[in-house]
Amino acid sequence: VVANASSSSRGCRRPRQRTIQWSRPKYEVHPADKAAQILWRNQIGRYEGLPEKLWGVWWMSGNPAPELLVNLDGNHFIKDKGQVLVDTGGPLNWSYDDSCCGRTELCGVYVGSCFCAKIRAQFNEDFTYADLPIEICGGLPMSWICCQRWGMQYVDENTWTRVGYWGCCCTVDRTPRYIYTLRKIINGDGQRTSAFDDLMVQLSYQPLVETLSKTPKQVIIVPRGGSTDSPSPHGAAPAEEATLS
C-alpha cells in the first residue's frame, strides 16, 4: 500500500512516499483426518521434557467455536515454570473450520498474533490442571477485557476437560460456565485412538446441536515459505509415510 503526502503549495519539497507492507498468513485446507496427521507430523517431539499426557493431537469435542483440532507438543515449553506457551495464530498448532465462521476466527487470531498474543498454560506440579490465560504485548493479560478465564482438567491419558470461569483481575468465580472435552485422536507415537473414529463419524453425520459449524475440511496455518508436503524438520516421517494405525 503506497500513501502520498500531497501538498497544495508551489515550491514545496517533492512529496515523500511511504510504503506499508501487509503480510498475510499462509494457510492450507485439508480433510480433517489429514489435517490431524499434518499437525502430528510437523510438531511431535520438538520440546523435550513435555509430559506424555500432553503429547499428540486433540479434538475439541463439543467446542461451540469454529475450531476442531489442537496440538500442544511443539509449542514453547518452559520446564522449570511448568508453562506451555501457545502462539495464537502460530503455524501448525490449531485447525479452523473451512467456513465463514472459521475463517473469521482465523482472521481474528491472526490480528491477535500481530500483538504477540499467546496462551500461557500454567500447570500445577503434577500436570493435572492448567490455567489458560491469554496475554498480549509480552505479558498484558486479556482477562480484564473479556472478563473470562479458562482452564483444563486432566481426566485420563486421552481426555482433558476444558472449563471456563467468569473473572476479572483477582476476582474469579470458580463455577464452570461452559465445558467441552479435549479428546486425544492421535497419540505421541502417531497411532490413532478410538476418538479418531468417533470424530470421523461425527463429521460425516452432523447433528446441528452437537457439532454446530464443524466442517469435514479444516484450515491450518503453515510457516511462510514452507509446505506441509515438505519433510518435517523435527525428524518425523513425511505425511504419506507417517504410521497412523
Side-chain angles (χ1 to χ4, degrees):
V1 178
V2 177
N4 291 323
S6 60
S7 173
S8 59
S9 303
R10 281 189 175 182
C12 290
R13 291 183 301 174
R14 185 177 180 180
R16 288 182 301 172
Q17 197 173 65
R18 181 163 53 94
T19 302
I20 304 172
Q21 293 183 342
W22 175 262
S23 180
R24 294 185 300 174
K26 181 180 179 182
Y27 62 86
E28 295 179 0
V29 180
H30 297 282
D33 55 346
K34 184 177 180 181
Q37 183 174 335
I38 289 170
L39 293 185
W40 173 81
R41 178 177 65 90
N42 284 276
Q43 297 283 43
I44 187 67
R46 284 187 61 188
Y47 290 98
E48 296 182 1
L50 188 71
E52 289 188 26
K53 60 183 66 174
L54 298 176
W55 291 4
V57 179
W58 301 82
W59 164 28
M60 294 178 273
S61 176
N63 183 5
E67 53 195 17
L68 188 69
L69 306 173
V70 63
N71 185 5
L72 294 176
D73 191 9
N75 292 283
H76 186 49
F77 177 51
I78 307 175
K79 186 176 182 180
D80 59 338
K81 294 183 178 181
Q83 295 179 351
V84 177
L85 300 183
V86 181
D87 290 325
T88 63
L92 301 173
N93 61 14
W94 219 275
S95 84
Y96 306 87
D97 288 328
D98 185 23
S99 66
C100 180
C101 292
R103 290 174 184 267
T104 298
E105 179 176 344
L106 177 61
C107 180
V109 297
Y110 179 69
V111 171
S113 71
C114 296
F115 295 91
C116 302
K118 298 180 184 296
I119 299 174
R120 185 180 294 272
Q122 178 63 66
F123 287 87
N124 58 7
E125 291 185 1
D126 58 357
F127 284 82
T128 56
Y129 180 83
D131 284 315
L132 304 172
I134 299 178
E135 60 183 41
I136 60 173
C137 302
L140 180 64
M142 292 289 290
S143 59
W144 63 275
I145 296 178
C146 59
C147 293
Q148 288 185 351
R149 295 192 179 188
W150 296 272
M152 53 189 288
Q153 177 70 53
Y154 179 76
V155 178
D156 57 45
E157 62 180 356
N158 292 323
T159 312
W160 290 75
T161 298
R162 277 281 287 107
V163 295
Y165 312 96
W166 292 111
C168 295
C169 299
C170 297
T171 303
V172 180
D173 178 4
R174 286 291 181 178
T175 303
R177 300 300 179 184
Y178 55 85
I179 298 176
Y180 69 84
T181 304
L182 285 169
R183 300 180 64 188
K184 184 181 294 185
I185 60 172
I186 299 178
N187 64 23
D189 296 326
Q191 296 180 330
R192 298 174 179 176
T193 69
S194 60
F196 186 98
D197 296 329
D198 293 342
L199 172 59
M200 293 299 103
V201 170
Q202 183 167 300
L203 289 176
S204 62
Y205 172 71
Q206 302 187 57
L208 181 60
V209 176
E210 174 69 18
T211 63
L212 298 177
S213 59
K214 299 299 181 281
T215 59
K217 289 189 176 181
Q218 292 290 300
V219 182
I220 54 177
I221 299 176
V222 299
R224 293 189 184 93
S227 169
T228 55
D229 291 328
S230 303
S232 170
H234 313 302
E240 62 274 14
E241 298 176 5
T243 303
L244 299 177
S245 56

